[in-house]
Amino acid sequence: MIEPGDIVYRKRVGGTIQNLDLLDKSQIGLVLQVLRDKGCIPQCRVMLGEKKLWFYNHDLQRIEKKE
């Protein structure tokens, strides 16, 4: 589950599932806000560079720390 403060990258582009080898991990961002309305897909407000954009939760992949 993605929460505010997580660092994420875009998992999908253009609304279609693409080859997982072609994921663009160069655009990483910080999750600022998560909206979870009843009956709706969760949406995340992400800061990518200087832009603040909205994405669906399933379009983002959280970067996890490995120890």
Side-chain angles (χ1 to χ4, degrees), residues 9-13 18-25:
Y9 64 88
R10 292 179 67 185
K11 188 164 52 171
R12 298 180 184 177
V13 178
Q18 297 185 4
N19 188 348
L20 294 178
D21 296 333
L22 300 176
L23 294 177
D24 183 14
K25 295 182 182 177

Side-chain angles (χ1 to χ4, degrees), residues 42-58:
Q43 298 179 25
C44 302
R45 187 172 189 193
V46 179
M47 180 178 275
L48 290 172
E50 296 181 3
K51 296 180 183 178
K52 297 176 184 172
L53 304 170
W54 287 96
F55 296 101
Y56 287 118
N57 191 29
H58 60 267

Side-chain angles (χ1 to χ4, degrees), residues 1-10 27-34 36 44-48 55 57 60-65:
M1 188 66 102
I2 295 175
E3 298 293 332
D6 288 344
I7 298 175
V8 296
Y9 64 88
R10 292 179 67 185
Q27 288 188 335
I28 62 171
L30 176 66
V31 177
L32 302 174
Q33 183 180 6
V34 178
R36 291 186 183 97
C44 302
R45 187 172 189 193
V46 179
M47 180 178 275
L48 290 172
F55 296 101
N57 191 29
L60 301 171
Q61 177 66 42
R62 187 173 77 188
I63 296 176
E64 305 214 6
K65 180 175 79 170

